[in-house]
mmCIF file with all atom_site columns, all heavy atoms in Angstrom:
data_model
loop_
_atom_site.group_PDB
_atom_site.id
_atom_site.type_symbol
_atom_site.label_atom_id
_atom_site.label_alt_id
_atom_site.label_comp_id
_atom_site.label_asym_id
_atom_site.label_entity_id
_atom_site.label_seq_id
_atom_site.pdbx_PDB_ins_code
_atom_site.Cartn_x
_atom_site.Cartn_y
_atom_site.Cartn_z
_atom_site.occupancy
_atom_site.B_iso_or_equiv
_atom_site.pdbx_formal_charge
_atom_site.auth_seq_id
_atom_site.auth_comp_id
_atom_site.auth_asym_id
_atom_site.auth_atom_id
_atom_site.pdbx_PDB_model_num
ATOM 1   N N   . ARG A 1 303 ? -5.909 40.314 19.603 1.00 96.00 ? 1245 ARG A N   1
ATOM 2   C CA  . ARG A 1 303 ? -4.600 40.366 18.937 1.00 96.00 ? 1245 ARG A CA  1
ATOM 3   C C   . ARG A 1 303 ? -3.558 40.962 19.956 1.00 96.00 ? 1245 ARG A C   1
ATOM 4   O O   . ARG A 1 303 ? -2.363 40.535 19.943 1.00 96.00 ? 1245 ARG A O   1
ATOM 5   C CB  . ARG A 1 303 ? -4.687 41.334 17.706 1.00 96.00 ? 1245 ARG A CB  1
ATOM 6   C CG  . ARG A 1 303 ? -3.404 41.385 16.868 1.00 96.00 ? 1245 ARG A CG  1
ATOM 7   C CD  . ARG A 1 303 ? -3.086 40.037 16.285 1.00 96.00 ? 1245 ARG A CD  1
ATOM 8   N NE  . ARG A 1 303 ? -1.758 40.040 15.657 1.00 96.00 ? 1245 ARG A NE  1
ATOM 9   C CZ  . ARG A 1 303 ? -1.550 40.215 14.324 1.00 96.00 ? 1245 ARG A CZ  1
ATOM 10  N NH1 . ARG A 1 303 ? -2.528 40.246 13.479 1.00 96.00 ? 1245 ARG A NH1 1
ATOM 11  N NH2 . ARG A 1 303 ? -0.310 40.250 13.910 1.00 96.00 ? 1245 ARG A NH2 1
ATOM 12  N N   . ASN A 1 304 ? -3.917 41.920 20.708 1.00 97.00 ? 1246 ASN A N   1
ATOM 13  C CA  . ASN A 1 304 ? -2.905 42.523 21.686 1.00 97.00 ? 1246 ASN A CA  1
ATOM 14  C C   . ASN A 1 304 ? -2.464 41.491 22.641 1.00 97.00 ? 1246 ASN A C   1
ATOM 15  O O   . ASN A 1 304 ? -1.211 41.438 22.962 1.00 97.00 ? 1246 ASN A O   1
ATOM 16  C CB  . ASN A 1 304 ? -3.460 43.789 22.246 1.00 97.00 ? 1246 ASN A CB  1
ATOM 17  C CG  . ASN A 1 304 ? -4.555 43.512 23.295 1.00 97.00 ? 1246 ASN A CG  1
ATOM 18  O OD1 . ASN A 1 304 ? -5.478 42.794 22.906 1.00 97.00 ? 1246 ASN A OD1 1
ATOM 19  N ND2 . ASN A 1 304 ? -4.526 44.075 24.491 1.00 97.00 ? 1246 ASN A ND2 1
ATOM 20  N N   . LEU A 1 305 ? -3.387 40.692 23.181 1.00 97.00 ? 1247 LEU A N   1
ATOM 21  C CA  . LEU A 1 305 ? -3.006 39.640 24.093 1.00 97.00 ? 1247 LEU A CA  1
ATOM 22  C C   . LEU A 1 305 ? -2.199 38.592 23.325 1.00 97.00 ? 1247 LEU A C   1
ATOM 23  O O   . LEU A 1 305 ? -1.202 38.015 23.926 1.00 97.00 ? 1247 LEU A O   1
ATOM 24  C CB  . LEU A 1 305 ? -4.190 39.064 24.808 1.00 97.00 ? 1247 LEU A CB  1
ATOM 25  C CG  . LEU A 1 305 ? -5.053 39.977 25.714 1.00 97.00 ? 1247 LEU A CG  1
ATOM 26  C CD1 . LEU A 1 305 ? -6.182 39.208 26.315 1.00 97.00 ? 1247 LEU A CD1 1
ATOM 27  C CD2 . LEU A 1 305 ? -4.066 40.442 26.849 1.00 97.00 ? 1247 LEU A CD2 1
ATOM 28  N N   . GLU A 1 306 ? -2.561 38.196 22.210 1.00 97.00 ? 1248 GLU A N   1
ATOM 29  C CA  . GLU A 1 306 ? -1.867 37.188 21.467 1.00 97.00 ? 1248 GLU A CA  1
ATOM 30  C C   . GLU A 1 306 ? -0.402 37.587 21.194 1.00 97.00 ? 1248 GLU A C   1
ATOM 31  O O   . GLU A 1 306 ? 0.551  36.846 21.405 1.00 97.00 ? 1248 GLU A O   1
ATOM 32  C CB  . GLU A 1 306 ? -2.540 36.917 20.123 1.00 97.00 ? 1248 GLU A CB  1
ATOM 33  C CG  . GLU A 1 306 ? -1.841 35.783 19.288 1.00 97.00 ? 1248 GLU A CG  1
ATOM 34  C CD  . GLU A 1 306 ? -2.439 35.577 17.933 1.00 97.00 ? 1248 GLU A CD  1
ATOM 35  O OE1 . GLU A 1 306 ? -2.421 36.586 17.085 1.00 97.00 ? 1248 GLU A OE1 1
ATOM 36  O OE2 . GLU A 1 306 ? -3.046 34.519 17.660 1.00 97.00 ? 1248 GLU A OE2 1
ATOM 37  N N   . ASP A 1 307 ? -0.193 38.870 20.853 1.00 97.00 ? 1249 ASP A N   1
ATOM 38  C CA  . ASP A 1 307 ? 1.163  39.366 20.697 1.00 97.00 ? 1249 ASP A CA  1
ATOM 39  C C   . ASP A 1 307 ? 2.018  39.302 21.921 1.00 97.00 ? 1249 ASP A C   1
ATOM 40  O O   . ASP A 1 307 ? 3.201  38.999 21.872 1.00 97.00 ? 1249 ASP A O   1
ATOM 41  C CB  . ASP A 1 307 ? 1.134  40.875 20.194 1.00 97.00 ? 1249 ASP A CB  1
ATOM 42  C CG  . ASP A 1 307 ? 0.638  40.923 18.774 1.00 97.00 ? 1249 ASP A CG  1
ATOM 43  O OD1 . ASP A 1 307 ? 0.607  39.888 18.075 1.00 97.00 ? 1249 ASP A OD1 1
ATOM 44  O OD2 . ASP A 1 307 ? 0.292  42.069 18.327 1.00 97.00 ? 1249 ASP A OD2 1
ATOM 45  N N   . LEU A 1 308 ? 1.328  39.402 23.055 1.00 97.00 ? 1250 LEU A N   1
ATOM 46  C CA  . LEU A 1 308 ? 2.060  39.291 24.341 1.00 97.00 ? 1250 LEU A CA  1
ATOM 47  C C   . LEU A 1 308 ? 2.518  37.842 24.618 1.00 97.00 ? 1250 LEU A C   1
ATOM 48  O O   . LEU A 1 308 ? 3.484  37.660 25.340 1.00 97.00 ? 1250 LEU A O   1
ATOM 49  C CB  . LEU A 1 308 ? 1.219  39.826 25.509 1.00 97.00 ? 1250 LEU A CB  1
ATOM 50  C CG  . LEU A 1 308 ? 0.964  41.352 25.547 1.00 97.00 ? 1250 LEU A CG  1
ATOM 51  C CD1 . LEU A 1 308 ? -0.080 41.635 26.683 1.00 97.00 ? 1250 LEU A CD1 1
ATOM 52  C CD2 . LEU A 1 308 ? 2.343  42.011 25.853 1.00 97.00 ? 1250 LEU A CD2 1
ATOM 53  N N   . ALA A 1 309 ? 1.777  36.915 24.065 1.00 97.00 ? 1251 ALA A N   1
ATOM 54  C CA  . ALA A 1 309 ? 1.999  35.490 24.381 1.00 97.00 ? 1251 ALA A CA  1
ATOM 55  C C   . ALA A 1 309 ? 3.079  34.879 23.580 1.00 97.00 ? 1251 ALA A C   1
ATOM 56  O O   . ALA A 1 309 ? 3.577  33.798 23.970 1.00 97.00 ? 1251 ALA A O   1
ATOM 57  C CB  . ALA A 1 309 ? 0.672  34.721 24.209 1.00 97.00 ? 1251 ALA A CB  1
ATOM 58  N N   . ILE A 1 310 ? 3.462  35.503 22.491 1.00 98.00 ? 1252 ILE A N   1
ATOM 59  C CA  . ILE A 1 310 ? 4.426  34.858 21.500 1.00 98.00 ? 1252 ILE A CA  1
ATOM 60  C C   . ILE A 1 310 ? 5.700  35.616 21.472 1.00 98.00 ? 1252 ILE A C   1
ATOM 61  O O   . ILE A 1 310 ? 5.707  36.857 21.389 1.00 98.00 ? 1252 ILE A O   1
ATOM 62  C CB  . ILE A 1 310 ? 3.808  34.754 20.130 1.00 98.00 ? 1252 ILE A CB  1
ATOM 63  C CG1 . ILE A 1 310 ? 2.465  34.014 20.213 1.00 98.00 ? 1252 ILE A CG1 1
ATOM 64  C CG2 . ILE A 1 310 ? 4.781  34.110 19.133 1.00 98.00 ? 1252 ILE A CG2 1
ATOM 65  C CD1 . ILE A 1 310 ? 1.726  34.101 18.878 1.00 98.00 ? 1252 ILE A CD1 1
ATOM 66  N N   . PRO A 1 311 ? 6.878  34.946 21.580 1.00 98.00 ? 1253 PRO A N   1
ATOM 67  C CA  . PRO A 1 311 ? 8.136  35.725 21.448 1.00 98.00 ? 1253 PRO A CA  1
ATOM 68  C C   . PRO A 1 311 ? 8.175  36.500 20.209 1.00 98.00 ? 1253 PRO A C   1
ATOM 69  O O   . PRO A 1 311 ? 7.807  36.019 19.143 1.00 98.00 ? 1253 PRO A O   1
ATOM 70  C CB  . PRO A 1 311 ? 9.189  34.601 21.450 1.00 98.00 ? 1253 PRO A CB  1
ATOM 71  C CG  . PRO A 1 311 ? 8.487  33.468 22.104 1.00 98.00 ? 1253 PRO A CG  1
ATOM 72  C CD  . PRO A 1 311 ? 7.074  33.554 21.728 1.00 98.00 ? 1253 PRO A CD  1
ATOM 73  N N   . ASP A 1 312 ? 8.744  37.748 20.211 1.00 98.00 ? 1254 ASP A N   1
ATOM 74  C CA  . ASP A 1 312 ? 8.885  38.531 19.042 1.00 98.00 ? 1254 ASP A CA  1
ATOM 75  C C   . ASP A 1 312 ? 10.298 39.126 19.031 1.00 98.00 ? 1254 ASP A C   1
ATOM 76  O O   . ASP A 1 312 ? 11.116 38.912 19.871 1.00 98.00 ? 1254 ASP A O   1
ATOM 77  C CB  . ASP A 1 312 ? 7.795  39.647 19.039 1.00 98.00 ? 1254 ASP A CB  1
ATOM 78  C CG  . ASP A 1 312 ? 7.893  40.569 20.208 1.00 98.00 ? 1254 ASP A CG  1
ATOM 79  O OD1 . ASP A 1 312 ? 8.881  40.456 20.979 1.00 98.00 ? 1254 ASP A OD1 1
ATOM 80  O OD2 . ASP A 1 312 ? 7.027  41.412 20.355 1.00 98.00 ? 1254 ASP A OD2 1
ATOM 81  N N   . ARG A 1 313 ? 10.532 39.869 17.916 1.00 98.00 ? 1255 ARG A N   1
ATOM 82  C CA  . ARG A 1 313 ? 11.858 40.388 17.629 1.00 98.00 ? 1255 ARG A CA  1
ATOM 83  C C   . ARG A 1 313 ? 12.368 41.255 18.863 1.00 98.00 ? 1255 ARG A C   1
ATOM 84  O O   . ARG A 1 313 ? 13.457 41.067 19.300 1.00 98.00 ? 1255 ARG A O   1
ATOM 85  C CB  . ARG A 1 313 ? 11.876 41.217 16.396 1.00 98.00 ? 1255 ARG A CB  1
ATOM 86  C CG  . ARG A 1 313 ? 13.151 41.993 16.097 1.00 98.00 ? 1255 ARG A CG  1
ATOM 87  C CD  . ARG A 1 313 ? 13.028 42.723 14.801 1.00 98.00 ? 1255 ARG A CD  1
ATOM 88  N NE  . ARG A 1 313 ? 11.760 43.568 14.704 1.00 98.00 ? 1255 ARG A NE  1
ATOM 89  C CZ  . ARG A 1 313 ? 11.453 44.660 15.313 1.00 98.00 ? 1255 ARG A CZ  1
ATOM 90  N NH1 . ARG A 1 313 ? 12.374 45.247 16.155 1.00 98.00 ? 1255 ARG A NH1 1
ATOM 91  N NH2 . ARG A 1 313 ? 10.305 45.233 15.166 1.00 98.00 ? 1255 ARG A NH2 1
ATOM 92  N N   . ALA A 1 314 ? 11.442 42.035 19.397 1.00 97.00 ? 1256 ALA A N   1
ATOM 93  C CA  . ALA A 1 314 ? 11.802 42.946 20.410 1.00 97.00 ? 1256 ALA A CA  1
ATOM 94  C C   . ALA A 1 314 ? 12.270 42.198 21.690 1.00 97.00 ? 1256 ALA A C   1
ATOM 95  O O   . ALA A 1 314 ? 13.282 42.522 22.314 1.00 97.00 ? 1256 ALA A O   1
ATOM 96  C CB  . ALA A 1 314 ? 10.678 43.953 20.851 1.00 97.00 ? 1256 ALA A CB  1
ATOM 97  N N   . ARG A 1 315 ? 11.513 41.152 21.986 1.00 98.00 ? 1257 ARG A N   1
ATOM 98  C CA  . ARG A 1 315 ? 11.838 40.482 23.224 1.00 98.00 ? 1257 ARG A CA  1
ATOM 99  C C   . ARG A 1 315 ? 13.189 39.641 23.036 1.00 98.00 ? 1257 ARG A C   1
ATOM 100 O O   . ARG A 1 315 ? 14.062 39.560 23.937 1.00 98.00 ? 1257 ARG A O   1
ATOM 101 C CB  . ARG A 1 315 ? 10.724 39.440 23.570 1.00 98.00 ? 1257 ARG A CB  1
ATOM 102 C CG  . ARG A 1 315 ? 10.013 39.835 24.800 1.00 98.00 ? 1257 ARG A CG  1
ATOM 103 C CD  . ARG A 1 315 ? 8.676  39.060 24.968 1.00 98.00 ? 1257 ARG A CD  1
ATOM 104 N NE  . ARG A 1 315 ? 7.767  39.582 23.984 1.00 98.00 ? 1257 ARG A NE  1
ATOM 105 C CZ  . ARG A 1 315 ? 6.521  39.060 23.811 1.00 98.00 ? 1257 ARG A CZ  1
ATOM 106 N NH1 . ARG A 1 315 ? 6.141  37.983 24.467 1.00 98.00 ? 1257 ARG A NH1 1
ATOM 107 N NH2 . ARG A 1 315 ? 5.733  39.542 22.988 1.00 98.00 ? 1257 ARG A NH2 1
ATOM 108 N N   . VAL A 1 316 ? 13.392 39.069 21.816 1.00 98.00 ? 1258 VAL A N   1
ATOM 109 C CA  . VAL A 1 316 ? 14.610 38.350 21.605 1.00 98.00 ? 1258 VAL A CA  1
ATOM 110 C C   . VAL A 1 316 ? 15.791 39.316 21.593 1.00 98.00 ? 1258 VAL A C   1
ATOM 111 O O   . VAL A 1 316 ? 16.827 39.035 22.231 1.00 98.00 ? 1258 VAL A O   1
ATOM 112 C CB  . VAL A 1 316 ? 14.545 37.540 20.338 1.00 98.00 ? 1258 VAL A CB  1
ATOM 113 C CG1 . VAL A 1 316 ? 15.854 36.790 20.043 1.00 98.00 ? 1258 VAL A CG1 1
ATOM 114 C CG2 . VAL A 1 316 ? 13.423 36.527 20.398 1.00 98.00 ? 1258 VAL A CG2 1
#
Side-chain angles (χ1 to χ4, degrees):
Chain A
R1245 186 65 190 260
N1246 68 313
L1247 293 179
E1248 184 185 63
D1249 286 346
L1250 288 172
I1252 303 170
D1254 59 7
R1255 174 179 44 79
R1257 250 165 286 175
V1258 177

